[in-house]
Structures are given as C-alpha cells and as structure tokens.
Amino acid sequence: MAIALKRAVTTPLLYFFILGDILGAGVYVLIGSIAGESGGAVWLPLLVALGLATLTAGAYAELATKYPRAGGSAHYVTTAFGPAAGSFVGFCMLAAGVVSVGALARGFAGDYLQALVTLPTLVVVVVFLVLLAALNIRGIKESLGANVVATLIEVGGLVLIIGLGAWVMLRGDADLGRLTQVGTAEHGAVGAVLAGTVLAFYSFVGFETSVNLAEEVKDPRRSYPRALFGAVLTAGVVYMLIGVVASAAVPTDVLSGSSGPLLEVVHVAGGMPDWLFSVIALVAVANGALLTGIMSSRLAYGMANDGLLPAALARILPRRRTPWVAVLVTSAVSLLLALTGEVDSLAATLVLLLLFVFASVNASVLVLRRETGEPGHFRIPTIIPWLGLASCLFLFTRIEGEVWVRGLILVALGVVLAVVNGVRARRDGAEKSGEPLSRRNLMSEKKDSHDEDSNEPKGGRPGPTDQGRQGGMATREVAPELTEPEGAQEPPDRR
C-alpha cells in the first residue's frame, strides 16, 4: 500500500514558506544593477515585474489545486504535452538553480565581503561553494536548520534598510526627484523600464517551487491561492519600498556602481557600522545559495532516479543519506558559471531559463482546461494564462544577445535530453503494446488487485514514485531522512 504524504501544512505556514522563498538574496545584490538599467525610478521595474510574476502565479495556483501533488512544473507540462516536454522543463528548472547559485556566489564575493576583508574573487567563490557543498552533503536537517536562522536575519535586514532609508528621507537628506527619473544613456524610458524588469523578475522567482508542497497542504483548494498571492504581493510591497528608499537616499550612479547596493543606504544613513549590515547581507546571500543548491541537487537526484539523467547522479552517501554526486556535480557547474560571468548576466540567464518554464506552465493551463482534476479546484479567468504566456514571450525579446549565447547552450542540452527521453518513452510504449495478450491481462489483474488492496480507486492518485516517473520530482526524495518511516531500510548505494 502506497504511503501518502501527510497533509500538515496550514495556510500561514505555506504563506511564510513562499514568502521566505521569494524574499531572498536577489534584492540585496541586484538593486544597483536595476538602477543601472532603468535609472533612478527603481521601483517602477519592480512594480512591472510584480505584475508579470502575479500572472504566472495565477497559472500555478490553478494547476497546484487541480493536481495537488508533488512534481511541480515538470508534472504539469508532462500531463499536458508528454514526457519529452516535461523532461525539458525539469532540466530548465535544474539549470536555473545551478545558474542562480553561481550568481549568488559571485555576489557573496562583492562589496559586502570587501567591507569586512579584502580577498581575491576567485578564492572567495571557490571556498564559498566548497563550504556550501559540504553543508549540503552533511544533511538536510543541518541545512534547513541553518535556513531558519538565516531567513529571520535576511528579512530583518530588509526591514532595517527600509527604516534607515525612511530616516534619511525624514531628515531631508534624500532626493525624491530621483524617483521619477526613468531612462539611461543606452535606453529610452520604455526600454529602460523593460531592461530593468528582466533583472527585477529575478527577485520574484521562488514561488514556483512551492507547488511541490501542494500534496502536504491542508485543503489546498483554499489555502494555496491565498498563501501564494499573499506572499507574492507582500514581497512586492517590500521590494518596492526598498527600491524607493534606496533610490531616494543614494545617487543613481553610486547605487548602480556598487555590488553591495544596500550598504550604500547604510553609509548615507550613518549610525550603524558597515560591518554589521555586511554580515546580515552575506548571511542572506549564503542562505539563498544554500536553499537553491539543495533544490538543484535534489532535482538532479530525482531526475536521475527517474532515468532522465545519468544514474551516477542518484548515488547516495550511505551514512549521511544525501545525494553526494548530485551535490558535487551541480556545485562544480555553478563554480564554472560563477568564474565566467558577472552577477547581472547570470541573473538574466536564470530569468531566460525560467521564462521557458513559465511559458510552458501557462500553456499547460490552457491545454488542460478540459481535464476535470480535483473537484472545486481554484480556477483563474482564461485571459490570465494567455497574458502570462504573452508576457513570457515578450520578455524573451528583452534578453540581451550575450545572455542568449550562454542560455542557449543550456537550453540545447535540455532539448537533447527531451529528445532522448521522448524516444525512450515511445520505445517503452511500443514494447508494452507488443506484449502477449495474456501477459497484459495478467499485469492488469495485478494492478486491479493492488488498487483494491490500497483502498484507492482504480487509476487513482499516484504516489510520489509514480509522479517522479512522469517528469516531476517527489517531495519525499527531496528530504528522504525527514519523511521515511522509522526502521526503513537503507537505500542501495548506486555505484
């Protein structure tokens, strides 16, 4: 009998999980880059990015309540378009995670660290990623325990910046005129806002990973949309407040020229040592890299377990029960990217990869409209996924050429993987259809017997393993030591 995941996640818990996933290191690092692309009105591209993120969040809200199970984006796309498309989307999610870790490693080595100690960027990036990989390999409990503390620190840091910026404005040292300055020497008003939006969009990603919790949410039909939209809007308000106070308090050229832009607000406000806020910012950046590294390594492990990636990536460290090969490989790729790209170009590459995912998810909503799914699931107006799809296609046109060069290499790998898995799926289907009738009848009888024994309706909801085979990734695989029953046997070490 398949063991179902426990529905223990309430609406408030889900809200804070999603909020913590969105409110992360991106805003600590990228506010300066957004100012460089858009001008002094930093809040404007943040507002546009919030609107675009909300459109795609609507698609996730419908699909997560229609199919409340682990698997996420890859599962939805597989259901709508087949295993080849699902494996492509899964690979894009994996590649986006690896790129994000590289960007955050690069950000860790920037001005926030330089305010404490002067070290070569190469050395910092290597040591940083080695330490993160070691913590990841040590265990999920240790990693998530560190995340709880780090999340409180990083949110506190953002609130602190809003307070310091408001103090600068109240004492009359801010220039409110910068809040209406749109455009740069390279871009007119519209082009500047859209260029800034591509980077600002990076700060809102993270909500898409929450769909993997849908199977563990109490009453997901009601809870998930409320938590998702509430968290996205809360993050949007916080980000726009950060954009307003940072732009008003700090000259645009200073803000855009810093790899630790929020530290410039501390400088202007005074009364607080640089080193204290630098520590807060470094904790935020490290926490974002840790969480994304965990997701990337577990996704690689899950895809390898399902035969979508080389089997070596599914090897588990016997004592620690962690996917050590997947951790090392994803960390190595992140290191390569961090050493060959700047923070803003890596962030834009991540956005490019996620646009493929988001466009596919919006299209899946439209294709799956005829499917019934869970009764009474949340449903968005048909125009929303069309607008979400159109927004993704439009943002594709705003990605710079050099970012496309880097991104298309990763996309090409995903296409190759999709073709291989599509051919394999068709071959397996042909082999099954060619089985002797007696064998197929026997297998059908066994399936019916299993359904009766498990008290599930025939063809009912698949368990985590089944979902993984459809292109998704089981939540149970993300943290096996937290979810497996006591006394479970050790998994075989795949060597």
Side-chain angles (χ1 to χ4, degrees), residues 197-276:
T197 298
V198 172
L199 293 177
F201 200 76
Y202 173 80
S203 299
F204 287 96
V205 301
F207 66 84
E208 72 280 356
T209 63
S210 64
V211 295
N212 290 296
L213 287 180
E215 195 172 345
E216 299 169 86
V217 175
K218 294 181 178 179
D219 192 10
R221 179 171 56 91
R222 292 170 56 86
S223 294
Y224 189 80
R226 294 178 179 180
L228 176 61
F229 291 122
V232 170
L233 293 176
T234 301
V237 170
V238 172
Y239 285 159
M240 282 188 286
L241 288 174
I242 290 289
V244 167
V245 299
S247 182
V250 182
T252 304
D253 57 340
V254 175
L255 197 64
S256 62
S258 175
S259 59
L262 299 188
L263 188 61
E264 304 299 333
V265 179
V266 177
H267 290 161
V268 173
M272 180 180 181
D274 289 357
W275 66 266
L276 180 57

Side-chain angles (χ1 to χ4, degrees), residues 354-366:
L354 285 183
L355 286 177
F356 281 102
V357 177
F358 292 166
S360 301
V361 170
N362 280 293
S364 296
V365 173
L366 298 170

Side-chain angles (χ1 to χ4, degrees), residues 77-314:
V77 176
T78 297
T79 304
F81 300 107
S87 64
F88 172 73
V89 166
F91 181 84
C92 285
M93 287 288 295
L94 173 61
V98 171
V99 171
S100 181
V101 173
L104 294 175
R106 191 83 184 188
F108 189 90
D111 287 350
Y112 291 124
L113 182 64
Q114 300 304 319
L116 302 176
V117 60
T118 301
L119 292 171
T121 298
L122 173 63
V123 174
V124 173
V125 168
V126 172
V127 172
F128 177 75
L129 289 176
V130 168
L131 291 177
L132 280 186
L135 179 57
N136 197 346
I137 290 175
R138 179 167 177 79
I140 192 74
K141 290 182 179 179
E142 292 82 357
S143 299
L144 294 184
N147 166 63
V148 171
V149 177
T151 297
L152 294 175
I153 293 174
E154 70 183 38
V155 172
L158 295 178
V159 173
L160 177 63
I161 287 297
I162 293 173
L164 290 175
W167 166 243
V168 173
M169 296 169 70
L170 288 174
R171 75 187 188 195
D173 292 337
D175 182 359
L176 300 182
R178 282 195 289 266
L179 300 179
T180 60
Q181 294 175 358
V182 183
T184 63
E186 294 79 17
H187 301 289
V190 175
V193 171
L194 294 176
T197 298
V198 172
L199 293 177
F201 200 76
Y202 173 80
S203 299
F204 287 96
V205 301
F207 66 84
E208 72 280 356
T209 63
S210 64
V211 295
N212 290 296
L213 287 180
E215 195 172 345
E216 299 169 86
V217 175
K218 294 181 178 179
D219 192 10
R221 179 171 56 91
R222 292 170 56 86
S223 294
Y224 189 80
R226 294 178 179 180
L228 176 61
F229 291 122
V232 170
L233 293 176
T234 301
V237 170
V238 172
Y239 285 159
M240 282 188 286
L241 288 174
I242 290 289
V244 167
V245 299
S247 182
V250 182
T252 304
D253 57 340
V254 175
L255 197 64
S256 62
S258 175
S259 59
L262 299 188
L263 188 61
E264 304 299 333
V265 179
V266 177
H267 290 161
V268 173
M272 180 180 181
D274 289 357
W275 66 266
L276 180 57
F277 184 77
S278 292
V279 170
I280 294 174
L282 290 174
V283 168
V285 174
N287 185 51
L290 175 63
L291 290 180
T292 308
I294 291 173
M295 182 277 291
S296 302
S297 60
R298 269 54 177 189
L299 181 54
Y301 162 79
M303 293 179 71
N305 246 356
D306 298 332
L308 303 178
L309 288 176
L313 292 170

Side-chain angles (χ1 to χ4, degrees), residues 311-350:
L313 292 170
R315 291 182 180 176
I316 296 175
L317 196 64
R319 187 173 180 182
R320 303 305 307 180
R321 306 277 300 275
T322 51
W324 65 279
V325 176
V327 172
L328 292 179
V329 171
T330 54
S331 297
V333 177
S334 294
L335 175 60
L336 176 64
L337 292 169
L339 297 179
T340 57
E342 298 296 332
V343 173
D344 53 355
S345 65
L346 290 172
T349 303
L350 177 139

